[in-house]
């Protein structure tokens, strides 16, 4: 049996603007993960993927071509030099919310790729895992920037600019963020499409907002490299104000952020595509429990607290 894991992710700054060439920073979240296990099955059984958390059982021999998991599985098998349909049973589990902004689709694809390569005796290099995961993301999302597959494949903080190799990002001092799930879904493709349509109607205004987001991302990098993560708080708030202007926030998300700030968070923003999904809040040690309690009281379905280290 071969077992593999991939983390969820949050975007610290830069979502949406990253689709239009501005930088973004994303970090892995190991408190919510996807796992895959591969076992050799009976001769002639073919390759079957059981993804019960997604409500899916995929028999590779007759899966449709546009099924993202079947697509990445076939690509990974091919890279490993195997026939399309080995007699393998693959079990995938994920505790990441679907369309929740934590990179669930990318994590599930990445863990499938990693497990297949490992079971075939190959080293699952992050570049390769990221490349094959991106193929699945394209089916899900149309024109993803590539940030989600990158951070879940590398499992480390990344500085990402579309079309450029990712830079693994060094944070000089660790910090904590609370991640609160609104319980509402915000499908990435729909949110990215909505922003594209609104930008098409007023490109100058949107590009100005995207430039401002890019400046916030630069400032966030400087703060992290200087060991001053406390400066992230106001940057989260400024980034959130711009995300609200581009139309991807919701009253439920705003309620969660207001509750976190009132309970002592240094700043808060939505993370991912918005329209639902998760918010993140910067929390010093003494604020962790008050912020967690305030988020749950304000309607969060789940609160995770993660420590971001170098
Ligand atoms: C989704 O996690 C992040 C977006 O910027 C879309 C993308 O980068 O492809 C909203």
């Amino acid at each position: 049996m071969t077992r593999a894991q991939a983390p969820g992710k949050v975007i610290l700054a830069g979502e949406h603007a990253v689709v239009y060439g501005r930088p973004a920073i994303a970090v892995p979240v190991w408190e919510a993960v996807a796992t895959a296990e591969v076992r050799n099955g009976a001769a002639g059984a073919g390759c079957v993927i059981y993804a019960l958390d997604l409500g899916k059982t995929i028999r590779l021999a007759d899966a449709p071509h546009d099924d993202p998991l079947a697509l990445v599985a076939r690509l990974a098998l091919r890279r490993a030099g195997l026939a399309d349909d080995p007699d393998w049973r693959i079990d995938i589990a994920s505790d990441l919310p679907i369309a929740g902004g934590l990179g669930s689709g990318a994590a599930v694809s990445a863990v499938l790729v990693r497990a297949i390569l490992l079971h075939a005796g190959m080293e699952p290099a992050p570049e390769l895992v990221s490349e094959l995961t991106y193929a699945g993301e394209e089916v899900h999302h149309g024109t993803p920037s590539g940030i989600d597959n990158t951070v879940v494949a590398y499992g480390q903080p990344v500085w990402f600019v579309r079309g450029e190799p990712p830079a693994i990002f060094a944070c000089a001092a660790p910090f904590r963020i609370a991640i609160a799930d609104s319980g509402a879904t915000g499908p990435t493709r729909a949110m990215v499409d909505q922003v594209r349509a609104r930008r098409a109607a007023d490109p100058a205004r949107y590009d100005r907002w995207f430039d401002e987001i890019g400046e916030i991302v630069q400032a966030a990098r400087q703060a992290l490299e200087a060991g001053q993560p406390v400066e992230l708080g106001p940057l989260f708030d400024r980034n959130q104000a711009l995300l609200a202007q581009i139309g991807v926030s919701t009253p439920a998300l705003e309620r969660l952020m207001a509750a976190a700030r009132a309970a002592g968070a240094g700043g808060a923003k939505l993370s991912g595509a918005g329209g639902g999904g998760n918010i993140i809040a910067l929390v010093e040690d003494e604020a962790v429990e008050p912020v967690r309690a305030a988020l749950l009281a304000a309607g969060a379905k789940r609160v995770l607290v993660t420590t971001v280290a170098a």
Side-chain angles (χ1 to χ4, degrees):
M1 193 266 275
T2 306
R3 194 160 196 272
Q5 225 178 33
K9 70 101 212 323
V10 289
I11 296 182
L12 291 187
E15 52 274 270
H16 285 291
V18 71
V19 174
Y20 301 90
R22 275 61 165 194
I25 297 171
V27 299
V29 176
W30 291 99
E31 287 74 11
V33 296
T35 50
E37 293 179 356
V38 188
R39 294 175 176 78
N40 294 329
C47 185
V48 188
I49 303 167
Y50 297 89
L52 299 187
D53 296 318
L54 306 177
K56 280 177 122 177
T57 299
I58 301 164
R59 206 165 290 282
L60 215 50
D62 43 46
H65 282 290
D66 60 354
D67 181 282
L69 286 186
L71 175 87
V72 298
R74 289 191 185 107
L75 289 174
L77 288 165
R78 224 162 288 156
R79 285 300 177 100
L82 292 172
D84 250 11
D85 198 26
D87 295 323
W88 289 0
R89 175 194 170 110
I90 307 180
D91 290 281
I92 296 181
S94 168
D95 50 16
L96 290 156
I98 296 167
L102 297 189
S104 131
V108 167
S109 290
V111 82
L112 179 59
V113 170
R114 196 173 277 159
I116 288 174
L117 295 177
L118 281 168
H119 201 67
M122 266 178 87
E123 185 53 38
E127 296 86 342
L128 179 57
V129 175
S130 181
E131 178 196 326
L132 302 189
T133 300
Y134 184 79
E137 290 287 283
E138 276 183 309
V139 178
H140 271 301
H141 301 324
T143 54
S145 64
I147 191 168
D148 286 16
N149 48 288
T150 301
V151 65
V152 303
Y154 283 79
Q156 292 182 65
V158 294
W159 167 266
F160 183 86
V161 178
R162 187 169 199 160
E164 293 179 10
I168 298 308
F169 192 78
C171 303
F175 58 97
R176 298 221 269 184
I177 46 183
I179 305 166
D181 187 353
S182 68
T185 55
T188 301
R189 183 176 204 142
M191 300 311 296
V192 170
D193 286 351
Q194 285 174 24
V195 173
R196 182 174 298 112
R198 284 195 290 267
R199 176 176 177 270
D202 196 349
R205 181 194 290 253
Y206 274 73
D207 287 345
R208 218 167 35 244
W209 287 337
F210 292 151
D211 284 342
E212 276 181 57
I213 292 175
E215 284 159 21
I216 290 168
V217 178
Q218 294 279 2
R221 178 176 185 158
Q222 278 161 19
L224 294 175
E225 286 181 335
Q228 297 294 337
V230 65
E231 290 174 11
L232 278 184
L235 295 172
F236 279 5
D237 290 340
R238 279 175 54 204
N239 194 163
Q240 173 57 30
L242 288 155
L243 287 164
Q245 273 173 306
I246 69 170
V248 295
S249 195
T250 68
L253 294 173
E254 295 292 343
R255 239 185 340 268
L256 292 178
M257 290 180 274
R261 292 185 192 108
K269 62 183 280 292
L270 68 82
S271 184
N278 280 262
I279 64 106
I280 58 174
L282 186 71
V283 281
E284 305 263 4
D285 287 354
E286 62 282 3
V288 168
E289 290 316 320
V291 168
R292 189 199 305 272
L295 286 165
L296 290 169
K301 297 295 172 282
R302 177 164 78 156
V303 179
L304 302 172
V305 177
T306 192
T307 300
V308 182

